[in-house]
Amino acid sequence: MADLREEDLPLPPGRKQDAGPATPRPGALGNVHLLCTRRELMHIMPKLLGALAVATALTLPVLAQTTIVAPTGTTTGTYMDYMKTVYDRGTGSELLQVPLATFDKEFELTPMAAESWSQSEDGLTWTFKLREGLVWSDGEPLTAEDYVFALQRAATSGYDFAWYWDFAGGIKGWKEVTEGTADVSGLGLTAVDDLTIEVVTNAPKPYLPSVTSLWYPVPKHVVDELGDDWALDVDSIVSSGPFSIESWEKSNNSVVFTRSETYAGPWPAQVDRLELDPTLAAPEVGLPAFLAGDADYSFLNTGQVPVATARFPDGIRQNAVFATSYISYDLEAEPFNDVNVRRAFYYAVDREELTSTVLKDIAIPAGSILPPGYPGYNPDVVAQAVFDPDRAKQFLADAGYPNGEGFPEIEIWIREEGGYNGAIIPAMAQYLQAEFKEVLGVTMNIRSLPGADWMDGLRNRGNNIFIAPYEYDYLDPSNFYGIFYNGGRHNYFIPEYDALVAEADSESDWDTRYGLYAQAEQIMIDQGLIVPLVHPITTAVISDQLGGEASTPNSLGFTPLDRLGHYFFTHLTK
């Protein structure tokens, strides 16, 4: 380090430069002679220490930033705002904000922005208390109003995930407001003060805190100035969560996040930079990138599993995902407006063969909308989903299409996917294409669409048959049954089904709820509302440079990886 000379030091106010050398006082620091009183020393020290810090920084090596490259997300996205759009959002937009609560790798609900919550005696009112000291990345306080505003805006702006807050949230007035028959002031949402949110529901919702895992704030002070455009440009995006945004390549929806310098809540980021690259999400692209050192983990398809296991035995991670892929229909469009046609398709799928060949090691058979181990899973329901070609052909004949004669050519729509769905759905669609031709004599083409276009087609009946993947949002059977309730995700309106699900939803006794949901799913089977296909099992390989709690299996032996994004990306080290 270069020596500092006395004449280089700043003088205290009122002190004149000495004309010549002075006798050093005792207590010299290196070559710096302190020619001042105690009071003068107090004035000089901050600047002296600053000079020393600069000199030290110039001579010490700069510590390398830790960067994780993750193959996640979809290649299209418009707004970096989960509360504006779920199906067309910027990659990782949820990681920029802090939900009221979320799940850890044991699927335990963990308070995040909310430090506590309570339910009224009648079960209709929930009160959430926010943590003190949370701020937006621009320094503005994060308040209850930002959360209330997020849902008020969602209810009045055509939010593509609005059904979730109607059924799962059951917020008072939600349906009326979203349909335009009531003013937004009628919503059961109130910011009592800066740190208190009150939610009123139509019926008791004992699981509402779990629902809030998808309730993110929106910066009202920024939206008031810029409108929805706040979430279009990196320079105007503010965050409340563990990461801030550095860059966003919209051509492929890849992003670079950095550790937030303003986040004061639970689960701060442990790495400096996080690169989320959807182009690496398909295993065919992700594994070569992993092998080249360009990605820190990769999902694996069936053919890759044995090779990766042999080469990286300590790096293999598996997860039984609480998710289901199923066939759904437009119930009003021919030929699927006939229940016999729908039931023919239900019995024409050999799930055992599908998951032991084409989807070996990456999926298991699905006989229910609920995955194994999920609350409410019913083996009696599952047992009915058998491969029965003769029965399938008879149902199709009863519909007027013996051996498929006269059946119109159809086109099944699938969603462009990354991650585990990227390995499962295209291959499964091709398997079903061949099987429906062999068993039913039906010609089925396949069309792959970007997520937003696929979802628009599903919601607005742009096609008559879809492969629909769905992963849980909160741990309660109402989550899965809710996607078919009173319109829901599929524009299904089945009065007897809706009545049973509504009754189960507000029932406090678990055994009674379990029975009601089983009755509701029996209606789904009898009316052929869906064809359960598979439940995903993800297999991934991770770098030996990754550490932290998120890189190790949970108590069941599974590693959820980015399926629990908030936990995973804040509990990784490198």
Side-chain angles (χ1 to χ4, degrees), residues 344-406:
F345 277 61
Y346 177 84
Y347 288 109
V349 180
D350 189 342
R351 299 164 182 82
E352 294 292 340
E353 181 183 70
L354 171 62
T355 55
S356 63
T357 56
V358 177
L359 302 183
K360 188 176 186 296
D361 295 323
I362 59 175
I364 59 175
S368 167
I369 191 63
L370 300 183
Y374 194 84
Y377 180 78
N378 191 319
D380 293 336
V381 169
V382 174
Q384 299 178 62
V386 297
F387 176 51
D388 192 335
D390 292 336
R391 199 170 183 185
K393 291 176 181 178
Q394 185 59 56
F395 272 118
L396 199 62
D398 292 345
Y401 305 106
N403 299 315
E405 297 173 10

Side-chain angles (χ1 to χ4, degrees), residues 398-430:
D398 292 345
Y401 305 106
N403 299 315
E405 297 173 10
F407 196 89
E409 189 171 298
I410 60 175
E411 180 180 75
I412 195 165
W413 284 11
I414 66 175
R415 190 169 70 190
E416 293 177 1
E417 301 280 359
Y420 66 80
N421 279 327
I424 290 173
I425 291 179
M428 180 166 61
Q430 293 177 28

Side-chain angles (χ1 to χ4, degrees), residues 193-229:
D193 55 43
D194 284 350
L195 299 177
T196 308
I197 301 171
E198 186 177 272
V199 181
V200 179
T201 57
N202 291 315
K205 295 284 182 179
Y207 49 83
L208 187 67
S210 293
V211 174
T212 69
S213 64
L214 298 183
W215 187 355
Y216 300 97
V218 171
K220 186 176 185 301
H221 66 287
V222 179
V223 176
D224 285 345
E225 178 184 353
L226 301 177
D228 292 342
D229 289 355

Side-chain angles (χ1 to χ4, degrees), residues 271-287:
V271 294
D272 299 306
R273 298 175 82 252
L274 176 63
E275 298 181 13
L276 305 180
D277 189 348
T279 67
L280 304 178
E284 296 78 11
V285 181
L287 183 58

Side-chain angles (χ1 to χ4, degrees), residues 10 12 56 71 106 141 150 267 276 289 298 316 371 379 407 420 449 474 495 500 505 511 516 522 529 537 557:
T56 302
E106 301 292 346
W267 299 2
L276 305 180
S298 174
I316 299 300
F407 196 89
Y420 66 80
L449 296 168
Y474 61 98
L500 286 166
D505 181 48
D511 290 338
L516 290 168
Q522 191 61 50
L529 301 184
I537 293 179

Side-chain angles (χ1 to χ4, degrees), residues 180-509:
T181 60
D183 186 76
V184 70
S185 61
L187 284 179
L189 298 167
T190 305
V192 178
D193 55 43
D194 284 350
L195 299 177
T196 308
I197 301 171
E198 186 177 272
V199 181
V200 179
T201 57
N202 291 315
K205 295 284 182 179
Y207 49 83
L208 187 67
S210 293
V211 174
T212 69
S213 64
L214 298 183
W215 187 355
Y216 300 97
V218 171
K220 186 176 185 301
H221 66 287
V222 179
V223 176
D224 285 345
E225 178 184 353
L226 301 177
D228 292 342
D229 289 355
W230 81 275
L232 293 176
D233 189 90
V234 169
D235 292 334
S236 58
I237 294 171
V238 296
S239 61
S240 61
F243 292 97
S244 297
I245 189 167
E246 178 180 291
S247 64
W248 180 12
E249 177 51 61
K250 293 189 179 181
S251 65
N252 59 22
N253 206 22
S254 61
V255 297
V256 176
F257 293 160
T258 58
R259 178 167 49 193
S260 173
E261 299 298 328
T262 57
Y263 180 63
W267 299 2
Q270 303 299 305
V271 294
D272 299 306
R273 298 175 82 252
L274 176 63
E275 298 181 13
L276 305 180
D277 189 348
T279 67
L280 304 178
E284 296 78 11
V285 181
L287 183 58
F290 174 81
L291 295 174
D294 295 329
D296 286 296
Y297 66 93
S298 174
F299 291 101
L300 304 174
N301 61 29
T302 298
Q304 295 169 337
V305 171
V307 176
T309 302
R311 185 168 174 181
F312 306 102
D314 295 332
I316 299 300
R317 299 291 186 272
Q318 285 193 319
N319 185 40
V321 185
F322 287 153
T324 306
S325 288
Y326 56 94
I327 291 175
S328 69
Y329 311 98
D330 178 353
L331 300 180
E332 297 181 3
E334 294 183 349
F336 299 110
N337 57 346
D338 189 326
V339 64
N340 290 313
V341 170
R342 301 194 299 267
R343 298 208 70 187
F345 277 61
Y346 177 84
Y347 288 109
V349 180
D350 189 342
R351 299 164 182 82
E352 294 292 340
E353 181 183 70
L354 171 62
T355 55
S356 63
T357 56
V358 177
L359 302 183
K360 188 176 186 296
D361 295 323
I362 59 175
I364 59 175
S368 167
I369 191 63
L370 300 183
Y374 194 84
Y377 180 78
N378 191 319
D380 293 336
V381 169
V382 174
Q384 299 178 62
V386 297
F387 176 51
D388 192 335
D390 292 336
R391 199 170 183 185
K393 291 176 181 178
Q394 185 59 56
F395 272 118
L396 199 62
D398 292 345
Y401 305 106
N403 299 315
E405 297 173 10
F407 196 89
E409 189 171 298
I410 60 175
E411 180 180 75
I412 195 165
W413 284 11
I414 66 175
R415 190 169 70 190
E416 293 177 1
E417 301 280 359
Y420 66 80
N421 279 327
I424 290 173
I425 291 179
M428 180 166 61
Q430 293 177 28
Y431 174 89
L432 294 174
Q433 182 182 47
E435 186 161 52
F436 290 155
K437 185 66 174 179
E438 178 183 344
V439 175
L440 300 175
V442 169
T443 298
M444 183 181 76
N445 299 313
I446 302 168
R447 185 178 181 187
S448 180
L449 296 168
D453 296 337
W454 179 91
M455 193 64 202
D456 182 70
L458 184 72
R459 295 174 65 209
N460 296 309
R461 296 175 174 170
N463 193 41
N464 56 9
I465 183 171
F466 301 81
I467 291 181
Y470 188 80
E471 183 176 344
Y472 86 106
D473 294 310
Y474 61 98
L475 285 173
D476 189 86
S478 61
N479 185 185
F480 280 90
Y481 293 117
I483 63 180
F484 308 102
Y485 173 79
N486 195 28
R489 187 192 195 199
H490 294 278
N491 279 309
Y492 284 6
F493 295 92
I494 312 298
E496 54 269 49
Y497 173 88
D498 290 346
L500 286 166
V501 171
E503 184 179 354
D505 181 48
S506 58
E507 174 59 54
S508 58
D509 179 74

